[in-house]
Amino acid sequence: MSNYKHGIRTSRQATAISIPVTSDGCIQCVVGTAPVNLAADPYDTVNKPFACLKKEDAVTALGYCTDFENYTLCQSIYASFNIFAVAPLILINVLDPKKHVKASVSKTYTVEGGKIVIDEEGILLDQLNIANEGGTTTYKADEDYVASFTSDGTVTVSIVKTGAAKSEKSLKASFVQLDPSAVTYEDVIGSIDMATKKKTGLELVNMVYPKYGYVPSLLLAPGWSHVPAVALALDAKATSISSLFTGKVVMDVDSAEGKADSIDKVKEFKDNNAISSRGEIAMWPMAKVGDYKLYYSAMMAANLQYLAANNNGIPSRSPSNKDAKITGLCLADGSEVLPDMDEANDYCNACGVVTAINMNGWKNWGNNTAVYPSSTDPIDRWINIVTIFDYIENNFKLTFFRDVDDLTNYRLIDEVVSGFNMQLNGLQGSDDIAGGEIVFDHEENPIANILGGHIKFRTRIGGYIPAEDIENVFEFDPTITQNALEGGGE
C-alpha cells in the first residue's frame, strides 16, 4: 500500500468482545491452579469441575489474572476466550486457599487520599485485618473501611468517612496470601480417598460427564504436563473417561534449561520420558502472544476446539499449517526460538512432536501424535485420524447407550446398524471421513454369545490423511521454446 494518501479508504478494527463458538465434539478439560482469592467464593473452588461458557463464568468461579506462570488455568482461559473464542471450557483448580498459603504478615501503610494501597497479590480478603499503626485498635470491614481488588489483583482499602478510622494517617494491614509455589505435581495428578471417596486432581475428570453432560475429549495441564509423571497420568486418564469415553492429551515437552532447551534435544527428551502414546499431542517449545508467555498446550487445545467448532463440531481437520494465533516461540527462560522448516521437520515432526513455523504468520506445524515413529499405523499416527475416530467412537456410545439392557432382537440390531450407518453417511457427505460402514456379522455372534447377553458389531472407517508432502516435478522442455520461436517468426 502506498504511503502517500490520495483517494478514499476504509479500515477495520477487531471486535472488542468475541462471542464464544460452542462445540461439543472437542471439549477441553484443564487441571491446574487459579487465583482463587479473586473468585466469588475462594473456598468453594478446590477440586471440583467448573463448566464455563464465557470468560465471566471462569472469572467468577475461579478468578483470573495474567500471572500465567503461577496460575496455570488462566493460560487456558486466555487462550480459549480471548484468542480463539471457544466454549465450553472445563476447569479444575487444585490450589487450596486453606492449604497453599504463605504465613500471615503485617505491614504499615500511609493513608493517601483517604485510602491505602496494599501492593501485594494473592490476598484473601476474608483474612485481611486493618488496625491502627500501633495495632491496638482493629477496625471493622464495611463499617470503618472497604477493601477491594484492583484490576492487577492488588488491594485498595478505602476509609469510610464516618468510620472509626477516619482520622488515621497510617494503618497496619495484616493479611494471608496464596502460595501457588506450594502446589505440587502430586496435587495435579490427584487421588481418591478410600475412606471418604473424595476425588482430587485428574480423578475429577470422570465427574465432568455425569455433572454437566459434556465429554471432556481434550485433557491438558499447561504448566504441569511437561512433568513426565503428570503427562503419564493424563494419558492414562484419557484412555478411559467416566469408564466409557476416550480422549486425547495435549501436553508439553519441557524446554527448561537442561531439558529440551534446544530443538536438537527434543527427541532425546521425548524418548527418555515415555512420551509415546497415540493419545498424546506433544508440543514444543512455549508460545508467545505479545508480552505473554504460555505453554503451547494451552494454545493448541483451544485451537483444536476452534477448528472443530467451525466444522459443525466435528474434529476431522488437522491443526497443522493452520494459524497458531501466536507471535512467536520461546524456551522456558523466555529465549526466542525461530525454527526453519527443515529444523521443524527433522527435529520435531520426525519424532512425533508438533511445533510452529513462521510462514507469513505463525502456523502450527506437525501432523503426528507422540506414537510416531514407533507406529506408522494411520489409526495411531495422524492427529486428525485419531481425533475423528475418538469422536465417532464416543458418539456411538452416546447414541446407543440407551439400547444397553434392551431386548436382543432384530429391532435392536437394525436400529444400531441403520442408525449408525446414517451417522457415518452424514460424515462422508460432509467430507469428514472417506466412508464408513457398520455391520452385524452372524458368524461373529454365535448363539452362545447372544444367550450370554453379548452382541458384537464391526465398523470400518476410511479417513482422509493430511497431504503432508506435496511434490511437483518441474522440467525444462526445449520443444516448447522451439515452438514459441518458430511461431514468432511467422
Side-chain angles (χ1 to χ4, degrees):
M1 180 181 292
S2 172
N3 291 320
Y4 184 83
K5 303 297 188 290
H6 180 187
I8 185 170
R9 57 198 173 96
T10 64
S11 62
R12 289 178 294 277
Q13 181 174 316
T15 305
I17 300 176
S18 298
I19 299 174
V21 179
T22 58
S23 170
D24 60 2
C26 200
I27 296 175
Q28 302 173 73
C29 181
V30 195
V31 182
T33 54
V36 297
N37 65 305
L38 303 175
D41 184 352
Y43 302 101
D44 189 35
T45 58
V46 190
N47 286 312
K48 57 186 297 187
F50 290 88
C52 305
L53 294 176
K54 54 185 184 297
K55 186 175 182 179
E56 290 79 1
D57 295 340
V59 172
T60 300
L62 295 170
Y64 176 79
C65 68
T66 55
D67 182 359
F68 294 149
E69 182 177 357
N70 284 313
Y71 301 110
T72 58
L73 290 180
C74 294
Q75 297 185 43
S76 288
I77 294 172
Y78 176 76
S80 297
F81 295 118
N82 289 74
I83 303 297
F84 289 99
V86 290
L89 176 66
I90 311 298
L91 299 170
I92 298 172
N93 165 65
V94 299
L95 191 157
D96 189 340
K98 294 181 180 179
K99 174 183 175 184
H100 304 118
V101 292
K102 300 176 183 177
S104 177
V105 297
S106 296
K107 294 184 179 180
T108 300
Y109 297 88
T110 301
V111 176
E112 296 181 356
K115 63 183 179 181
I116 64 171
V117 176
I118 305 175
D119 192 20
E120 304 277 352
E121 297 177 18
I123 293 175
L124 290 158
L125 285 187
D126 68 308
Q127 297 188 52
L128 172 65
N129 292 299
I130 301 297
N132 63 350
E133 185 174 1
T136 56
T137 302
T138 300
Y139 296 111
K140 297 179 181 179
D142 300 325
E143 183 177 320
D144 300 322
Y145 68 90
V146 176
S148 59
F149 290 110
T150 62
S151 59
D152 62 359
T154 58
V155 174
T156 296
V157 178
S158 300
I159 299 172
V160 177
K161 293 181 179 179
T162 57
K166 61 184 179 181
S167 301
E168 296 289 355
K169 302 301 181 184
S170 60
L171 293 170
K172 178 177 286 187
S174 301
F175 50 86
V176 174
Q177 294 171 272
L178 299 178
D179 185 7
S181 68
V183 179
T184 67
Y185 73 85
E186 288 95 343
D187 294 318
V188 175
I189 294 172
S191 62
I192 302 176
D193 188 310
M194 299 311 295
T196 64
K197 305 301 180 185
K198 180 177 175 59
K199 298 178 179 179
T200 62
L202 283 170
E203 295 298 334
L204 291 159
V205 170
N206 288 340
M207 290 180 58
V208 174
Y209 180 71
K211 187 175 179 68
Y212 296 109
Y214 296 131
V215 177
S217 53
L218 286 178
L219 306 185
L220 62 155
W224 298 97
S225 65
H226 62 283
V227 178
V230 175
L232 289 169
L234 282 164
D235 186 48
K237 183 58 62 180
T239 60
S240 180
I241 299 170
S242 298
S243 303
L244 191 63
F245 306 111
T246 304
K248 290 155 295 301
V249 174
V250 189
M251 52 86 61
D252 296 284
V253 174
D254 196 346
S255 61
E257 184 178 358
K259 306 296 179 60
D261 54 7
S262 63
I263 197 168
D264 59 319
K265 296 180 181 178
V266 170
K267 183 180 186 302
E268 180 183 5
F269 182 89
K270 175 179 181 286
D271 292 346
N272 290 341
N273 290 281
I275 305 172
S276 58
S277 168
R278 74 179 293 273
E280 290 177 319
I281 301 171
M283 310 302 303
W284 183 90
M286 297 184 70
K288 294 191 72 175
V289 180
D291 293 331
Y292 298 139
K293 182 178 70 173
L294 302 91
Y295 280 91
Y296 203 159
S297 61
M299 294 296 292
M300 174 56 80
N303 201 330
L304 287 166
Q305 187 169 354
Y306 172 82
L307 292 173
N310 286 276
N311 188 47
N312 298 313
I314 303 170
S316 64
R317 302 301 189 251
S318 170
S320 187
N321 204 22
K322 303 298 192 300
D323 187 3
K325 295 187 183 294
I326 62 176
T327 57
L329 296 176
C330 66
L331 300 177
D333 64 5
S335 304
E336 182 184 23
V337 177
L338 188 63
D340 61 34
M341 189 182 297
D342 285 345
E343 290 175 326
N345 290 344
D346 294 342
Y347 292 112
C348 289
N349 292 179
C351 66
V353 174
V354 179
T355 186
I357 59 172
N358 191 354
M359 293 290 290
N360 292 319
W362 286 91
K363 305 292 192 297
N364 301 314
W365 197 249
N367 287 295
N368 294 319
T369 69
V371 78
Y372 185 81
S374 296
S375 173
T376 57
D377 188 332
I379 201 172
D380 295 329
R381 171 186 178 180
W382 303 110
I383 292 172
N384 69 307
I385 297 296
V386 171
T387 54
I388 191 62
F389 262 79
D390 284 351
Y391 170 80
I392 293 172
E393 290 176 32
N394 289 340
N395 263 7
F396 176 82
K397 295 167 186 174
L398 286 168
T399 303
F400 299 105
F401 186 82
R402 65 177 183 267
D403 292 320
V404 174
D405 296 331
D406 206 348
L407 298 178
T408 305
N409 53 29
Y410 283 108
R411 182 202 59 77
L412 182 147
I413 294 169
D414 183 64
E415 179 179 297
V416 174
V417 171
S418 299
F420 198 52
N421 274 329
M422 190 178 299
Q423 288 187 26
L424 295 173
N425 289 339
L427 291 172
Q428 181 181 357
S430 59
D431 275 341
D432 291 300
I433 60 173
E437 181 186 24
I438 183 174
V439 297
F440 178 83
D441 189 337
H442 290 280
E443 292 186 0
E444 288 192 321
N445 290 274
I447 189 63
N449 287 3
I450 294 175
L451 292 176
H454 173 71
I455 57 175
K456 178 189 289 188
F457 297 89
R458 187 173 294 275
T459 300
R460 298 179 301 115
I461 298 171
Y464 289 116
I465 307 302
E468 195 174 59
D469 182 30
I470 300 174
E471 181 179 7
N472 183 6
V473 179
F474 286 79
E475 64 174 291
F476 182 83
D477 188 340
T479 61
I480 296 175
T481 306
Q482 180 180 357
N483 291 337
L485 293 173
E486 291 175 352
E490 295 179 358

